[in-house]
Amino acid sequence: MAKLIITVAVTGSVPTKQQNPHLPITPDEIADTARRCRDAGASIIHVHARDQTGKPTLDPDVFAAIARAIRAQCPDLIIQISTGGRAGADPQMRAAAVRQLKPEMASLTTGSVNFPDRIYENSNEVIEFLARAQKESGTKPEMEIFDTGMIETAVALADKGLADRPLHFDFVLGLPGGTQPATPRQLLHLVESIPCDSTWTVAGIGRHQLPMGVLGILLGGHVRVGLEDNLYYAKGALASNATLVERIARIATELGREIASPNQAREILGLRRCA
Ligand code: ZN
């Protein structure tokens, strides 16, 4: 079994410091978190940006400041930029940080979802626009799969030459409006639905983060943890990003699954650039 790639999604667009004071918001806070998570076994950091007031922003200069701060503390960590639409719907702005920074990875959601508070809208036109921006920037997309049909849309991007094979998927389970419930059967169905040369990771939302992560380890996939998806270490006990990475790395080690370094993760994912 390949070594385990741990992605840490440290901030997201939705959580607030009021909900969890460990949430990193500023570039320096995100970089400090990145170092702790890198030390604990994370090889990819999934990055969202916030403005001075803590609100989500797509400003590429803020992403650039975050990337600089991360690189200063952990030069080898793989930076994965979010192109998610919660910070704004304009596709040009969603692609702006990818075009400016040309990160090794970026997220790409291949469909629309009814989130509890709003519609997360990704038309085929927007998806292809974002895919093209990533392809032209030499950025590997992580296909964010909120429902099974999104797999076919991702594969169609590869068929159209807008994404390179092998594809990499992130299965998001347990989010209201997305793939529900977060069960082994649902995860297995998703794993069996992707092209066999693909790689995949799993992001369980909220209390599903730990059981889905453990299943990901056992099934030979990879795991995403972090405060973007889950604010709690256990019921009533707040987590930090580092404690979530430490726990999943510890469990993987106990299960005999070795943890990938960032450069080993690059090899597994076929990333073009090596630090
Ligand atoms: Zn995200």
Side-chain angles (χ1 to χ4, degrees):
M1 216 177 263
K3 291 188 178 179
L4 181 74
I5 300 170
I6 300 174
T7 300
V8 63
V10 293
T11 305
S13 291
V14 178
T16 64
K17 268 199 195 292
Q18 286 71 37
Q19 292 173 310
N20 186 326
H22 301 300
L23 188 79
I25 298 281
T26 67
D28 284 344
E29 287 172 351
I30 292 173
D32 285 345
T33 298
R35 182 179 41 75
R36 275 195 276 272
C37 292
R38 164 74 180 88
D39 290 348
S43 47
I44 301 175
I45 183 167
H46 172 82
V47 174
H48 288 249
R50 304 288 184 100
D51 66 16
Q52 304 273 11
T53 67
K55 291 213 181 74
T57 178
L58 293 169
D59 184 345
D61 291 337
V62 180
F63 277 103
I66 294 168
R68 268 198 309 276
I70 293 171
R71 277 200 212 97
Q73 294 225 33
C74 12
D76 65 346
L77 199 60
I78 298 167
I79 296 177
Q80 181 187 89
I81 298 272
S82 170
T83 65
R86 277 187 188 262
D90 176 20
Q92 295 280 358
M93 285 305 294
R94 288 173 64 180
V98 168
R99 289 209 189 276
Q100 183 170 316
L101 301 181
K102 305 193 187 321
E104 286 182 273
M105 296 185 80
S107 62
L108 179 61
T109 301
T110 51
S112 301
V113 196
N114 282 347
F115 283 155
D117 57 336
R118 56 182 282 265
I119 298 173
Y120 180 24
E121 195 176 323
N122 294 292
S123 67
N124 283 331
E125 192 182 356
V126 167
I127 294 165
E128 290 188 10
F129 176 82
L130 295 173
R132 188 171 285 113
Q134 296 195 27
K135 174 127 177 136
E136 289 170 359
S137 303
T139 297
K140 175 151 186 156
E142 177 175 277
M143 306 298 183
E144 306 299 331
I145 303 301
F146 291 79
D147 223 331
T148 321
M150 294 189 189
I151 293 170
E152 287 304 306
T153 306
V155 171
L157 289 175
D159 291 342
K160 291 176 187 169
L162 293 172
D164 292 334
R165 298 174 195 272
L167 299 172
H168 177 64
F169 294 90
D170 177 36
F171 302 128
V172 184
L173 287 104
L175 184 76
T179 300
Q180 290 257 59
T183 57
R185 183 193 293 231
Q186 295 271 25
L187 180 59
L188 272 174
H189 178 57
L190 291 163
V191 171
E192 288 168 357
S193 300
I194 58 177
C196 58
D197 62 347
S198 310
T199 49
W200 61 274
T201 190
V202 60
I205 302 299
R207 65 190 165 84
H208 304 295
Q209 187 169 84
L210 180 59
M212 286 293 115
V214 173
L215 268 173
I217 294 167
L218 292 170
L219 292 173
H222 304 282
V223 180
R224 164 169 147 168
V225 295
L227 297 183
E228 172 171 348
D229 302 334
N230 168 36
L231 294 169
Y232 293 93
Y233 191 85
K235 193 168 185 185
L238 290 172
S240 70
N241 283 298
T243 57
L244 293 171
V245 173
E246 282 162 9
R247 176 168 63 183
I248 208 70
R250 190 170 63 240
I251 292 170
T253 304
E254 289 286 338
L255 291 170
R257 186 92 188 266
E258 290 180 68
I259 310 298
S261 69
N263 276 332
Q264 288 165 341
R266 285 182 174 89
E267 276 177 40
I268 294 165
L269 296 171
L271 298 182
R272 293 201 186 115
R273 276 164 282 175
C274 281

